[in-house]
Amino acid sequence: MTIVPSIQRRGVSLLPTSIRSKPGLAVAIAFLVLIVVVAASASFLPYDAYRQDLLHRNSPPSWNHILGTDELGRDMLARLAIGARVSLVVAVTSTVAAVLIGIAVGAIAGYKRGWIDSVCMRFVDSMYAFPDTLFAILIAGVVKGQLSQSSTDFFSPITALYKMSGGLFGVFLTLSFTSWLVCARIVRAEVIILRSAEYVAAARLAGASDLFVMRRHILPNCLPVIIVAATFVVPSAILLEAGLSFLGVGVDPPTPSWGAMIASGVRSMQSYPHLLITPAIAVGLTLLSINVVGDALREHFDPSFRRGGEAS
Amino acid sequence: MFSFILKRVLASIPTLLVVYTVTFAIAHLTPGSPWDSASANRPMEPAAKAALDAKYNLDAPLHIQYVGYLWGAVQGDLGPSFRDPTQSVTDIVKKFLPTSLALGSMAIALAIVMGLLLGVLAALTRSRALETAILFFCTFCVSLPTYIITAVLIVTLGVGLGLVPTFGWKGLFSTSAIVPVVSLALAPMAAIARYCRNCVLEVMHKDFVRSARAKGVKRGRIIAVHILRNAIIPVVTVAGSYASSVLVGSFFVESIAGVPGFGRYFVLAVSARDYPVIIATTLVYAVIVVLCNLLVDIAHFIIDPRTREDVR
């Protein structure tokens, strides 16, 4: 455990070397690929995730239903696959949105400094006083309440989108609103360092506009920290989505979601443990794999980063 | 020292104001009124509704409500509960918060002790397998959502082995506390262990450790005095950031394990649109977060003399 290997590793391309030295990383990536494939092929599975079969409720795993059926006789594998799609789509889209908001706020605050910086960062700091689950539940309540009403004003296209997506859009909004804070902080810190770089000063002297400097010099160099920030946001988005659906303020039934499946599994865990175990393993392994991959990415982009980032 | 604490306390007032404002806005943005659920089954006279609104000051303009509630809260009156008119929110906080606080302190204490042990062990062990095992266990614990941990613990320890009750709460020092305490403690424990390991690895190669070793200080003393003293600083930060969310209780853990705590009450309040309870709960959360941050700062002040220079 010396510093030398990590320095050497930084120069070489990431994946091949790291995978060879870390079998866990390879397994994690393989599992994530499997989840994506299952999610993408959910429509081709022999069973419909919505078709109820009341004669075969709560049946344990068998040849007909590999993972058994749930309390309404719906195939667990099909529901898990659709649930994977729900979780991944929500996690990825809301991460992208949250990262974009974070970049915008962090870059402006870090580049302009002065009162804009103070206002933005005071606000971000204050928002950290909300535990994220709590804030997400609050926001989800508002979003769900606002969007599930049939209104005729300018909200109507959003409302339509919300209803069409089975509540998915509400979760997306909630997660985007709640998870941009980390990214804003990380990007701001990096922008402050980069703006005093000599090539930025040179570009300014040559007459480059703020926007040009930002687009050409600062943001591309922020990419590593942005990726690092995203590695924090993706797992927490999956976790929060499952948590919100678990509490019933997430994806609307009958759309399957991992969180809702775990919630109904918890209700009957004493009599039908397979209803709990399968979605729990799916969520657990997915989060574990994402964290393993995230750790590798963080280590690659900045070995010293882990302390500053996670503590925020 | 005293002026340092005073400054931090004063600096937390704007944070609390932002939290109050945001929560107030969210609570009042949620469409519908608190009487909706009561009037869903039995239609309510408009006059009765107006009387209720007048009683709870809901017919006043928003800015009057905003100032009025804040004025009461500063004096310790958190208002009446809409859902349960027989008790005030202050009573509810007094009734449910101590359970969560006791549970949370136990969990965070367990997390710190176990986290330090695991972290130091992972950093100092000569066995590569042990190190990998500890690190994997930590990633595992960080990844798993608390509701899965709680549910799995109840199924294995409660249903399978019959060691602990599957539901309910009989005080902190009974078997019923094992499952909630362990499920709350695992994630902070893992985070602390990871930070602790990183820091120990970093400090181990510092000059002062080498000097100590060279002049013949015993290995145990080097670890306890030279390495741990430095490694504990970031551990305090991480523990503080987790402490606030653990102390106020987790909705998931409390509702699955049947602990009559603060976290569970919050979820009930959100679904009942019980504005005073929602606002009060969030404020209590924020105060605890602020207090935890203050404690962390004070702990830094005591442990790490270097930070004292920053205090102006």
Side-chain angles (χ1 to χ4, degrees):
Chain A
M1 267 299 143
T2 52
I3 315 165
V4 182
S6 62
I7 290 174
Q8 281 174 345
R9 201 185 304 147
R10 289 192 81 183
V12 195
S13 73
L14 164 73
L15 292 177
T17 10
S18 302
I19 285 185
R20 243 176 277 135
S21 61
K22 288 180 187 160
L25 182 60
V27 174
I29 293 177
F31 182 78
L32 288 181
V33 170
L34 175 76
I35 288 285
V36 171
V37 169
V38 168
S41 61
S43 322
F44 304 111
L45 287 171
Y47 282 97
D48 182 359
Y50 299 96
R51 211 194 62 214
Q52 304 181 0
D53 180 2
L54 296 179
L55 290 178
H56 300 97
R57 291 161 50 207
N58 297 322
S59 65
S62 64
W63 284 116
N64 275 340
H65 300 277
I66 302 177
L67 295 178
T69 58
D70 72 355
E71 72 274 12
L72 292 174
R74 297 171 295 197
D75 185 55
M76 285 290 278
L77 178 62
R79 289 186 72 74
L80 264 187
I82 304 263
R85 189 188 283 176
V86 169
S87 285
L88 292 184
V89 166
V90 166
V92 170
T93 50
S94 60
T95 300
V96 169
V99 163
L100 286 180
I101 301 176
I103 291 175
V105 173
I108 292 174
Y111 191 75
K112 289 283 181 196
R113 302 307 299 270
W115 65 271
I116 298 184
D117 187 27
S118 316
V119 170
C120 288
M121 286 303 121
R122 283 310 301 191
F123 182 70
V124 169
D125 287 346
S126 309
M127 295 308 283
Y128 265 97
F130 285 100
D132 54 355
T133 329
L134 174 110
F135 190 57
I137 294 170
L138 271 179
I139 295 273
V142 179
V143 168
K144 213 173 177 57
Q146 287 282 9
L147 292 185
S148 51
Q149 284 183 331
S150 52
S151 56
T152 46
D153 49 357
F154 72 96
F155 271 130
S156 57
I158 306 180
T159 314
L161 194 58
Y162 174 82
K163 287 198 174 133
M164 209 175 68
S165 63
L168 214 64
F169 189 68
V171 181
F172 161 76
L173 284 182
T174 306
L175 294 183
S176 326
F177 280 141
T178 49
S179 1
W180 58 274
L181 300 170
V182 190
C183 187
R185 267 194 181 175
I186 293 178
V187 169
R188 172 181 170 270
E190 188 71 8
V191 169
I192 288 178
I193 298 172
L194 289 173
R195 73 195 279 273
S196 58
E198 279 173 5
Y199 54 83
V200 172
R204 276 227 198 95
L205 277 177
S209 67
D210 283 350
L211 206 64
F212 181 83
V213 171
M214 191 71 103
R215 208 183 59 221
R216 188 63 191 270
H217 295 293
I218 293 190
L219 286 184
N221 282 309
C222 282
L223 199 61
V225 290
I226 292 171
I227 293 175
V228 167
T231 61
F232 289 116
V233 178
V234 172
S236 87
I238 292 187
L239 202 61
L240 271 181
E241 184 276 317
L244 291 177
S245 302
F246 182 95
L247 290 172
V249 285
V251 179
D252 291 327
T255 309
S257 139
W258 286 352
M261 291 175 77
I262 292 175
S264 67
V266 165
R267 259 176 261 128
S268 52
M269 65 186 171
Q270 310 210 6
S271 19
Y272 306 106
H274 74 274
L275 292 185
L276 171 69
I277 292 168
T278 15
I281 289 178
V283 174
L285 283 184
T286 307
L287 287 169
L288 185 65
S289 310
I290 293 179
N291 276 324
V292 168
V293 174
D295 278 348
L297 282 173
R298 284 193 279 272
E299 216 170 280
H300 172 74
F301 283 116
D302 191 346
S304 69
F305 187 81
R306 276 167 64 180
R307 293 212 278 125
E310 262 179 323
S312 54
Chain B
M1 180 79 180
F2 181 73
S3 69
F4 163 73
I5 295 177
L6 189 71
K7 263 180 205 157
R8 286 301 154 97
V9 171
L10 286 180
S12 64
I13 292 176
T15 307
L16 291 178
L17 259 183
V18 170
V19 170
Y20 170 65
T21 313
V22 171
T23 321
F24 184 89
I26 292 175
H28 287 269
L29 265 175
T30 317
S33 86
W35 324 122
D36 280 356
S37 53
S39 58
N41 303 328
R42 287 175 300 164
M44 209 187 265
E45 282 283 321
K49 239 178 206 174
L52 274 173
D53 279 350
K55 185 185 173 204
Y56 292 113
N57 204 21
L58 287 173
D59 54 348
L62 273 185
H63 63 275
I64 304 280
Q65 290 189 41
Y66 176 85
V67 176
Y69 186 83
L70 186 61
W71 183 238
V74 171
Q75 294 166 325
D77 173 20
L78 295 169
S81 164
F82 293 160
R83 206 169 65 92
D84 187 355
T86 55
Q87 45 188 351
S88 76
V89 180
T90 316
D91 293 339
I92 292 170
V93 171
K94 275 188 198 147
K95 189 165 153 197
F96 291 100
L97 189 60
T99 312
S100 290
L101 280 182
L103 189 63
S105 342
M106 189 71 139
I108 205 77
L110 180 70
I112 291 176
V113 172
M114 289 299 295
L116 280 177
L117 276 177
L118 283 180
V120 172
L121 192 62
L124 297 181
T125 180
R126 299 271 161 78
S127 145
R128 191 69 200 255
L130 182 62
E131 190 191 356
T132 316
I134 292 177
L135 287 183
F136 181 76
F137 177 66
C138 290
T139 312
F140 189 74
C141 291
V142 166
S143 309
L144 278 188
T146 44
Y147 44 90
I148 293 187
I149 297 177
T150 317
V152 169
L153 282 179
I154 290 178
V155 168
T156 50
L157 296 181
V159 182
L161 300 174
L163 292 175
V164 296
T166 52
F167 194 82
W169 178 250
K170 294 188 200 69
L172 191 57
F173 298 99
S174 66
T175 47
S176 65
I178 294 177
V179 169
V181 165
V182 171
S183 12
L184 282 174
L186 281 184
M189 179 205 78
I192 290 172
R194 283 162 75 168
Y195 280 83
C196 179
R197 168 181 167 270
N198 287 355
C199 289
V200 170
L201 285 180
E202 210 171 278
V203 177
M204 248 165 70
H205 301 287
K206 288 270 163 73
D207 287 344
F208 58 84
V209 175
R210 203 173 40 193
S211 320
R213 197 169 286 154
K215 76 179 185 197
V217 180
K218 291 232 168 58
R219 187 175 152 83
R221 199 176 146 74
I222 293 184
I223 295 174
V225 176
H226 296 272
I227 295 182
L228 259 190
R229 172 99 190 232
N230 281 288
I232 211 164
I233 296 165
V235 167
V236 167
T237 314
V238 186
S241 71
Y242 272 95
S244 43
S245 58
V246 169
L247 278 180
V248 282
S250 152
F251 331 113
F252 304 117
V253 174
E254 287 179 0
S255 41
I256 299 175
V259 180
F262 204 51
R264 191 163 73 147
Y265 203 88
F266 174 76
V267 175
L268 298 176
V270 168
S271 47
R273 232 175 257 128
D274 198 341
Y275 299 151
V277 176
I278 295 173
I279 298 177
T281 336
T282 325
L283 279 180
V284 171
Y285 271 87
V287 168
I288 290 177
V289 171
V290 166
L291 279 182
C292 284
N293 289 342
L294 187 67
L295 281 180
V296 167
D297 284 343
I298 295 174
H300 276 239
F301 194 87
I302 296 170
I303 304 170
D304 189 0
R306 283 169 299 185
T307 56
R308 284 175 212 174
E309 287 159 21
D310 296 347
V311 183
R312 267 153 281 147

